[in-house]
Amino acid sequence: MKVSDVMTSTVDWAGSKTSVADAARLMKKDDVGSIPICDNGKVVGMITDRDIVLNVVAAGKDYNTTLVQEIMSKNIVSVSSNQDVHEAADLMSQYQIRRLPVVDQGKLVGILAIGDLAIERIHVNEAGDALSDISRGAHQNMN
């Protein structure tokens, strides 16, 4: 099964010069914890609700004037829509991430979340293993 079979193809994104406040509003509207950051259709970063809390709120910065490019993750792991979902699950586990931008020919075409893998019965164990690895890594990083 390919990533295109389970990914979400309608994805809101923000430009790198978007304020953190506007990115947070997108997250709230979509009920998600991360937003891809794109310039000219190309994914240049990701911003999470955790990035906002730790790098803006806890740091005492103004979320209306802080731009997402100042706090976004720039080393982005992505997949193509033609990639096998097993490979995507392996990447999620290896890099301890819950969401992968789906990029074809350099352009954002969707997002693949760990939950998308769990929906497909044949991938429940794989998604569970990936989530376990992700959670284990997050727990180790807190110690």
Side-chain angles (χ1 to χ4, degrees):
M1 182 173 290
K2 295 191 180 300
V3 167
S4 60
D5 296 325
V6 295
M7 73 179 196
T8 300
S9 57
T10 53
V11 179
D12 278 333
W13 53 270
S16 62
K17 302 234 185 264
T18 301
S19 73
V20 168
D22 287 340
R25 286 184 196 97
L26 272 178
M27 288 180 196
K28 180 179 179 180
K29 176 179 90 64
D30 296 342
D31 192 25
V32 296
S34 67
I35 296 285
I37 307 304
C38 299
D39 285 334
N40 300 316
K42 181 181 178 194
V43 179
V44 296
M46 289 284 286
I47 185 172
T48 66
D49 47 8
R50 188 171 192 272
D51 293 329
I52 294 170
V53 170
L54 296 178
N55 299 318
V56 180
V57 177
K61 294 181 180 178
D62 182 350
Y63 53 83
N64 288 305
T65 59
T66 302
L67 303 179
V68 295
Q69 69 184 5
E70 298 173 46
I71 65 164
M72 69 185 185
S73 298
K74 296 176 185 163
N75 297 327
I76 303 306
V77 177
S78 64
V79 293
S80 75
S81 63
N82 291 325
Q83 246 176 298
D84 185 82
V85 292
H86 298 284
E87 292 174 23
D90 288 344
L91 284 172
M92 288 176 168
S93 178
Q94 178 183 352
Y95 290 98
Q96 300 180 349
I97 51 180
R98 298 171 191 258
R99 293 168 198 87
L100 288 170
V102 182
V103 177
D104 287 338
Q105 299 176 354
K107 302 285 184 181
L108 179 69
V109 296
I111 196 111
L112 180 70
I114 193 85
D116 296 330
L117 297 177
I119 289 171
E120 296 299 317
R121 297 196 108 189
I122 60 171
H123 303 294
V124 170
N125 289 340
E126 201 166 355
D129 291 346
L131 184 57
S132 177
D133 290 346
I134 293 164
S135 297
R136 187 177 312 113
H139 180 68
Q140 289 172 352
N141 290 337
M142 295 193 324
N143 291 330

